[in-house]
Amino acid sequence: MKISIIQPIGQTTDYIADNAFIAGYLAGRISGKSIRHALNLGKELTLKVQNHSKAVIPAAAMRDMM
């Protein structure tokens, strides 16, 4: 089996942080959380992504959000 690694071209950490916020917010809303709670999830996920190299976060670092 051959696995290719795709490297993003020209993507800055700002875009990654924006996407993390949107992902956290949508996850909260889809799971039925309030807007305020979903906004907090987006903020928490953004902070986690910004603290990890290339936005690769070990599963152990995400346990508190699951």
Side-chain angles (χ1 to χ4, degrees):
M1 175 187 285
K2 184 177 178 180
I3 299 174
S4 298
I5 298 175
I6 301 171
Q7 297 293 330
I9 298 173
Q11 190 170 23
T12 66
T13 55
D14 292 339
Y15 294 128
I16 294 170
D18 291 346
N19 290 339
F21 178 83
I22 293 166
Y25 175 79
L26 288 176
R29 293 301 288 157
I30 289 169
S31 65
K33 305 294 183 198
S34 69
I35 292 173
R36 177 168 288 174
H37 190 271
L39 289 170
N40 285 333
L41 283 174
K43 181 180 175 183
E44 287 177 35
L45 186 55
T46 299
L47 293 173
K48 285 188 181 289
V49 166
Q50 290 175 333
N51 290 325
H52 287 85
S53 176
K54 297 185 180 179
V56 177
I57 305 171
M62 295 296 294
R63 297 276 185 241
D64 62 329
M65 293 191 74
M66 293 183 202

Coordinates of all heavy atoms in Angstrom, one line a residue:
M1 N 0.8 -1.2 0.0 CA 0.0 0.0 0.0 C 0.9 1.2 0.0 O 1.8 1.3 0.8 CB -0.9 0.0 1.2 CG -1.7 1.3 1.3 SD -2.7 1.4 2.9 CE -4.0 0.3 2.6
K2 N 0.6 2.2 -0.9 CA 1.3 3.4 -0.9 C 0.5 4.6 -0.4 O -0.7 4.7 -0.8 CB 1.7 3.7 -2.4 CG 2.6 4.9 -2.5 CD 3.0 5.1 -4.0 CE 3.9 6.3 -4.1 NZ 4.3 6.6 -5.5
I3 N 1.1 5.3 0.5 CA 0.4 6.5 1.1 C 1.1 7.7 0.7 O 2.3 7.8 0.9 CB 0.3 6.3 2.6 CG1 -0.5 5.1 3.0 CG2 -0.4 7.6 3.2 CD1 -0.5 4.8 4.4
S4 N 0.4 8.7 0.2 CA 1.0 10.0 -0.2 C 0.7 11.0 0.9 O -0.4 11.0 1.5 CB 0.4 10.5 -1.5 OG 0.7 9.6 -2.6
I5 N 1.7 11.9 1.1 CA 1.5 12.9 2.0 C 1.3 14.2 1.2 O 2.1 14.6 0.4 CB 2.7 13.1 3.0 CG1 2.8 11.8 3.8 CG2 2.5 14.3 3.9 CD1 4.0 11.8 4.7
I6 N 0.2 14.9 1.5 CA -0.1 16.1 0.8 C 0.3 17.3 1.7 O -0.2 17.4 2.8 CB -1.6 16.2 0.4 CG1 -2.0 15.0 -0.4 CG2 -1.9 17.6 -0.2 CD1 -3.5 14.9 -0.7
Q7 N 1.2 18.2 1.2 CA 1.6 19.3 1.9 C 0.8 20.5 1.5 O 0.6 20.8 0.3 CB 3.1 19.6 1.7 CG 4.0 18.5 2.2 CD 4.0 18.4 3.7 OE1 3.8 19.4 4.4 NE2 4.2 17.2 4.2
P8 N 0.2 21.3 2.4 CA -0.5 22.5 2.0 C 0.4 23.5 1.4 O 1.6 23.7 1.9 CB -1.2 23.0 3.2 CG -0.4 22.4 4.3 CD 0.2 21.1 3.8
I9 N 0.0 24.2 0.4 CA 0.8 25.3 -0.2 C 0.3 26.6 0.1 O -0.9 26.9 -0.1 CB 0.8 25.1 -1.8 CG1 1.4 23.8 -2.1 CG2 1.6 26.2 -2.4 CD1 1.3 23.4 -3.6
G10 N 1.1 27.4 0.7 CA 0.7 28.8 1.0 C -0.3 29.0 2.2 O -0.8 30.1 2.3
Q11 N -0.5 28.0 2.9 CA -1.5 28.1 4.0 C -0.8 28.6 5.2 O 0.2 28.1 5.7 CB -2.2 26.8 4.3 CG -3.4 26.9 5.2 CD -4.2 25.6 5.3 OE1 -3.6 24.6 5.1 NE2 -5.4 25.7 5.7
T12 N -1.3 29.7 5.8 CA -0.6 30.3 7.0 C -1.4 29.8 8.2 O -2.4 29.2 8.2 CB -0.7 31.8 6.9 OG1 -2.1 32.2 7.0 CG2 -0.1 32.4 5.7
T13 N -0.8 30.1 9.3 CA -1.4 29.7 10.6 C -2.7 30.4 10.9 O -3.5 29.9 11.6 CB -0.4 29.9 11.8 OG1 0.0 31.3 11.8 CG2 0.8 29.0 11.7
D14 N -2.8 31.6 10.2 CA -4.1 32.3 10.4 C -5.3 31.5 9.8 O -6.3 31.4 10.5 CB -4.1 33.7 9.7 CG -3.1 34.6 10.4 OD1 -2.8 34.4 11.6 OD2 -2.7 35.6 9.8
Y15 N -5.1 30.9 8.7 CA -6.1 30.1 8.1 C -6.4 28.8 8.9 O -7.5 28.4 9.0 CB -5.8 29.7 6.6 CG -5.7 30.9 5.7 CD1 -4.6 31.1 4.9 CD2 -6.7 31.8 5.6 CE1 -4.5 32.1 4.0 CE2 -6.7 32.8 4.7 CZ -5.5 33.0 3.9 OH -5.5 34.1 3.1
I16 N -5.3 28.3 9.4 CA -5.5 27.1 10.2 C -6.2 27.4 11.5 O -7.2 26.7 11.9 CB -4.1 26.5 10.5 CG1 -3.4 25.9 9.3 CG2 -4.2 25.3 11.6 CD1 -2.0 25.5 9.4
A17 N -5.9 28.5 12.1 CA -6.6 28.9 13.3 C -8.1 29.2 13.0 O -9.0 28.9 13.8 CB -6.0 30.1 14.0
D18 N -8.4 29.9 11.9 CA -9.7 30.2 11.5 C -10.5 28.9 11.3 O -11.7 28.8 11.7 CB -9.8 31.0 10.2 CG -9.3 32.4 10.3 OD1 -9.1 32.9 11.5 OD2 -9.0 33.1 9.3
N19 N -9.9 27.9 10.6 CA -10.6 26.7 10.4 C -10.8 25.9 11.7 O -11.9 25.2 11.8 CB -9.8 25.8 9.4 CG -9.8 26.3 8.0 OD1 -10.7 27.1 7.6 ND2 -8.8 26.0 7.2
A20 N -9.9 26.0 12.6 CA -10.1 25.3 13.9 C -11.2 25.9 14.6 O -12.0 25.2 15.2 CB -8.8 25.5 14.7
F21 N -11.3 27.3 14.6 CA -12.5 27.9 15.3 C -13.8 27.5 14.7 O -14.7 27.1 15.4 CB -12.3 29.4 15.2 CG -13.5 30.1 15.9 CD1 -13.5 30.3 17.2 CD2 -14.6 30.5 15.1 CE1 -14.6 30.9 17.9 CE2 -15.7 31.1 15.8 CZ -15.7 31.3 17.1
I22 N -13.9 27.5 13.4 CA -15.1 27.1 12.7 C -15.4 25.6 13.0 O -16.6 25.3 13.3 CB -15.0 27.3 11.2 CG1 -14.9 28.8 10.9 CG2 -16.1 26.7 10.4 CD1 -14.4 29.1 9.5
A23 N -14.4 24.7 13.0 CA -14.7 23.3 13.3 C -15.2 23.2 14.7 O -16.2 22.4 15.0 CB -13.4 22.5 13.1
G24 N -14.6 23.9 15.7 CA -15.1 23.8 17.1 C -16.5 24.3 17.2 O -17.3 23.7 17.9
Y25 N -16.7 25.4 16.6 CA -18.1 26.0 16.7 C -19.1 25.1 16.1 O -20.1 24.8 16.7 CB -18.1 27.4 16.0 CG -19.5 28.0 15.9 CD1 -20.0 28.6 17.1 CD2 -20.3 27.9 14.8 CE1 -21.3 29.2 17.0 CE2 -21.5 28.4 14.8 CZ -22.0 29.1 15.9 OH -23.3 29.6 15.9
L26 N -18.9 24.6 14.9 CA -19.8 23.7 14.2 C -20.0 22.4 15.0 O -21.2 21.9 15.1 CB -19.4 23.4 12.8 CG -19.5 24.6 11.8 CD1 -19.0 24.2 10.5 CD2 -21.0 25.1 11.7
A27 N -19.0 21.9 15.6 CA -19.1 20.7 16.4 C -20.0 20.9 17.5 O -20.9 20.1 17.9 CB -17.7 20.2 16.8
G28 N -19.9 22.1 18.2 CA -20.7 22.4 19.3 C -22.2 22.6 18.9 O -23.1 22.0 19.5
R29 N -22.4 23.3 17.8 CA -23.8 23.5 17.4 C -24.5 22.2 16.9 O -25.6 22.0 17.2 CB -23.8 24.6 16.3 CG -23.4 26.0 16.7 CD -24.3 26.5 17.9 NE -25.6 26.8 17.3 CZ -26.7 26.9 18.0 NH1 -26.7 26.7 19.3 NH2 -27.9 27.3 17.5
I30 N -23.7 21.4 16.1 CA -24.3 20.2 15.6 C -24.6 19.2 16.8 O -25.6 18.5 16.7 CB -23.3 19.5 14.6 CG1 -23.3 20.3 13.3 CG2 -23.7 18.1 14.3 CD1 -22.2 19.9 12.4
S31 N -23.9 19.3 17.8 CA -24.2 18.4 19.0 C -25.2 19.0 19.9 O -25.4 18.5 21.0 CB -22.9 18.1 19.7 OG -22.3 19.2 20.3
G32 N -25.8 20.1 19.5 CA -26.9 20.7 20.3 C -26.5 21.6 21.4 O -27.4 22.0 22.2
K33 N -25.3 22.1 21.4 CA -24.9 23.0 22.5 C -25.4 24.4 22.1 O -25.7 24.7 21.0 CB -23.3 23.1 22.6 CG -22.7 21.7 22.8 CD -23.0 21.1 24.1 CE -22.3 19.8 24.3 NZ -22.9 19.0 25.3
S34 N -25.4 25.3 23.2 CA -25.8 26.7 23.0 C -24.8 27.4 22.1 O -23.6 27.0 22.0 CB -25.9 27.4 24.3 OG -24.7 27.5 24.9
I35 N -25.2 28.6 21.6 CA -24.2 29.4 20.8 C -23.0 29.8 21.7 O -21.9 29.7 21.2 CB -24.9 30.6 20.3 CG1 -26.0 30.2 19.2 CG2 -23.9 31.6 19.7 CD1 -26.9 31.4 18.8
R36 N -23.2 30.2 22.9 CA -22.1 30.5 23.8 C -21.2 29.4 24.0 O -20.0 29.5 23.9 CB -22.7 31.0 25.1 CG -21.5 31.4 26.1 CD -22.0 32.1 27.3 NE -22.4 33.4 26.8 CZ -22.9 34.4 27.5 NH1 -23.3 34.2 28.7 NH2 -23.2 35.6 26.9
H37 N -21.7 28.2 24.2 CA -20.9 27.0 24.5 C -20.1 26.7 23.2 O -18.9 26.4 23.2 CB -21.7 25.8 24.9 CG -20.9 24.7 25.4 ND1 -20.5 23.7 24.5 CD2 -20.4 24.3 26.6 CE1 -19.8 22.8 25.2 NE2 -19.7 23.2 26.5
A38 N -20.8 26.8 22.0 CA -20.1 26.5 20.8 C -19.0 27.5 20.5 O -17.9 27.1 20.0 CB -21.1 26.5 19.6
L39 N -19.2 28.7 20.8 CA -18.2 29.8 20.6 C -17.0 29.4 21.5 O -15.8 29.6 21.1 CB -18.7 31.1 21.0 CG -19.7 31.7 20.0 CD1 -20.4 33.0 20.5 CD2 -19.0 32.0 18.6
N40 N -17.2 29.0 22.7 CA -16.1 28.6 23.6 C -15.4 27.4 23.1 O -14.1 27.3 23.2 CB -16.6 28.3 25.0 CG -17.0 29.6 25.8 OD1 -16.4 30.7 25.5 ND2 -17.9 29.5 26.7
L41 N -16.1 26.4 22.5 CA -15.4 25.3 21.9 C -14.5 25.7 20.8 O -13.4 25.2 20.6 CB -16.4 24.3 21.4 CG -17.1 23.4 22.4 CD1 -18.2 22.5 21.8 CD2 -16.1 22.5 23.1
G42 N -15.0 26.6 19.9 CA -14.2 27.2 18.8 C -12.9 27.8 19.4 O -11.8 27.6 18.8
K43 N -13.1 28.6 20.4 CA -11.9 29.3 21.0 C -10.9 28.3 21.6 O -9.7 28.5 21.4 CB -12.4 30.3 22.1 CG -11.4 31.1 22.8 CD -11.9 32.0 23.8 CE -10.9 32.7 24.6 NZ -11.4 33.5 25.7
E44 N -11.4 27.3 22.3 CA -10.5 26.3 22.9 C -9.8 25.6 21.8 O -8.6 25.3 22.0 CB -11.3 25.3 23.8 CG -11.8 25.9 25.1 CD -12.7 24.9 25.8 OE1 -12.4 23.7 25.8 OE2 -13.6 25.3 26.5
L45 N -10.5 25.2 20.8 CA -9.8 24.4 19.7 C -8.8 25.3 19.0 O -7.7 24.8 18.7 CB -10.8 23.9 18.7 CG -10.3 22.9 17.6 CD1 -9.5 21.8 18.3 CD2 -11.4 22.4 16.8
T46 N -9.1 26.5 18.8 CA -8.1 27.4 18.2 C -6.9 27.5 19.0 O -5.7 27.5 18.5 CB -8.7 28.8 18.0 OG1 -9.9 28.7 17.1 CG2 -7.8 29.8 17.4
L47 N -7.0 27.7 20.3 CA -5.8 27.8 21.2 C -5.0 26.5 21.1 O -3.8 26.5 21.1 CB -6.2 28.1 22.6 CG -6.9 29.5 22.8 CD1 -7.4 29.6 24.2 CD2 -5.8 30.6 22.5
K48 N -5.6 25.4 21.1 CA -4.9 24.1 21.0 C -4.2 24.0 19.7 O -3.0 23.6 19.7 CB -5.9 22.9 21.2 CG -6.3 22.7 22.6 CD -7.1 21.4 22.7 CE -7.6 21.2 24.1 NZ -6.5 20.9 25.1
V49 N -4.8 24.3 18.6 CA -4.1 24.2 17.3 C -2.9 25.2 17.2 O -1.9 24.8 16.7 CB -5.2 24.6 16.2 CG1 -4.5 24.8 14.9 CG2 -6.2 23.4 16.0
Q50 N -3.1 26.4 17.8 CA -2.0 27.3 17.7 C -0.8 26.9 18.6 O 0.4 27.3 18.3 CB -2.4 28.7 18.2 CG -3.3 29.3 17.2 CD -3.9 30.7 17.7 OE1 -4.0 30.9 18.9 NE2 -4.2 31.5 16.8
N51 N -1.0 26.0 19.5 CA 0.1 25.5 20.4 C 0.8 24.2 19.9 O 1.6 23.7 20.6 CB -0.4 25.3 21.8 CG -0.8 26.6 22.5 OD1 -0.1 27.6 22.3 ND2 -1.8 26.6 23.3
H52 N 0.3 23.7 18.8 CA 0.9 22.5 18.3 C 1.5 22.7 16.9 O 0.9 23.4 16.0 CB -0.1 21.3 18.3 CG -0.4 20.8 19.6 ND1 -1.3 21.4 20.4 CD2 0.1 19.8 20.3 CE1 -1.4 20.8 21.6 NE2 -0.5 19.8 21.5
S53 N 2.6 22.1 16.6 CA 3.3 22.3 15.3 C 2.5 21.8 14.2 O 2.0 20.6 14.2 CB 4.6 21.5 15.4 OG 5.3 21.6 14.1
K54 N 2.3 22.6 13.2 CA 1.5 22.2 12.0 C 0.1 21.8 12.3 O -0.5 21.0 11.5 CB 2.3 21.2 11.1 CG 3.6 21.7 10.6 CD 4.3 20.7 9.7 CE 5.6 21.3 9.3 NZ 6.3 20.3 8.4
A55 N -0.4 22.2 13.4 CA -1.8 21.8 13.8 C -2.0 20.3 13.9 O -3.2 19.9 13.8 CB -2.8 22.4 12.8
V56 N -1.0 19.6 14.2 CA -1.1 18.1 14.4 C -1.2 18.0 15.9 O -0.2 18.2 16.6 CB 0.0 17.3 13.8 CG1 -0.1 15.9 14.1 CG2 0.1 17.6 12.3
I57 N -2.3 17.6 16.4 CA -2.5 17.5 17.9 C -2.7 16.1 18.3 O -3.5 15.4 17.8 CB -3.8 18.3 18.3 CG1 -3.7 19.8 17.8 CG2 -4.0 18.3 19.8 CD1 -5.0 20.5 17.9
P58 N -1.8 15.6 19.2 CA -2.0 14.3 19.7 C -3.4 14.0 20.4 O -3.9 15.0 21.0 CB -0.9 14.1 20.8 CG 0.0 15.3 20.6 CD -0.8 16.4 19.9
A59 N -3.9 12.9 20.2 CA -5.2 12.6 20.8 C -5.2 12.8 22.3 O -6.3 13.3 22.8 CB -5.6 11.1 20.5
A60 N -4.2 12.5 23.0 CA -4.1 12.7 24.4 C -4.4 14.2 24.8 O -4.9 14.5 25.8 CB -2.8 12.3 25.0
A61 N -3.9 15.1 23.9 CA -4.1 16.6 24.2 C -5.5 17.0 23.9 O -5.9 18.1 24.3 CB -3.1 17.4 23.3
M62 N -6.3 16.2 23.3 CA -7.7 16.5 23.0 C -8.7 15.9 23.9 O -9.9 16.1 23.8 CB -8.0 16.1 21.6 CG -7.2 16.9 20.5 SD -7.6 18.6 20.5 CE -9.3 18.6 20.0
R63 N -8.3 15.0 24.9 CA -9.2 14.3 25.7 C -10.2 15.2 26.5 O -11.3 14.9 26.6 CB -8.4 13.5 26.7 CG -7.6 12.4 26.1 CD -8.3 11.1 25.9 NE -7.4 10.1 25.4 CZ -7.5 9.6 24.2 NH1 -8.4 9.9 23.4 NH2 -6.6 8.7 23.8
D64 N -9.7 16.4 26.9 CA -10.6 17.3 27.6 C -11.7 17.9 26.8 O -12.7 18.4 27.3 CB -9.8 18.4 28.3 CG -9.0 19.3 27.4 OD1 -8.7 18.8 26.3 OD2 -8.8 20.4 27.7
M65 N -11.6 17.8 25.5 CA -12.6 18.4 24.6 C -13.6 17.3 24.1 O -14.6 17.7 23.5 CB -11.9 19.1 23.4 CG -11.2 20.3 23.8 SD -10.7 21.3 22.4 CE -12.2 22.1 22.0
M66 N -13.3 16.1 24.3 CA -14.1 15.0 23.7 C -15.2 14.7 24.7 O -15.2 14.8 25.8 CB -13.3 13.8 23.4 CG -12.3 14.0 22.3 SD -11.5 12.4 22.0 CE -10.0 13.0 21.2

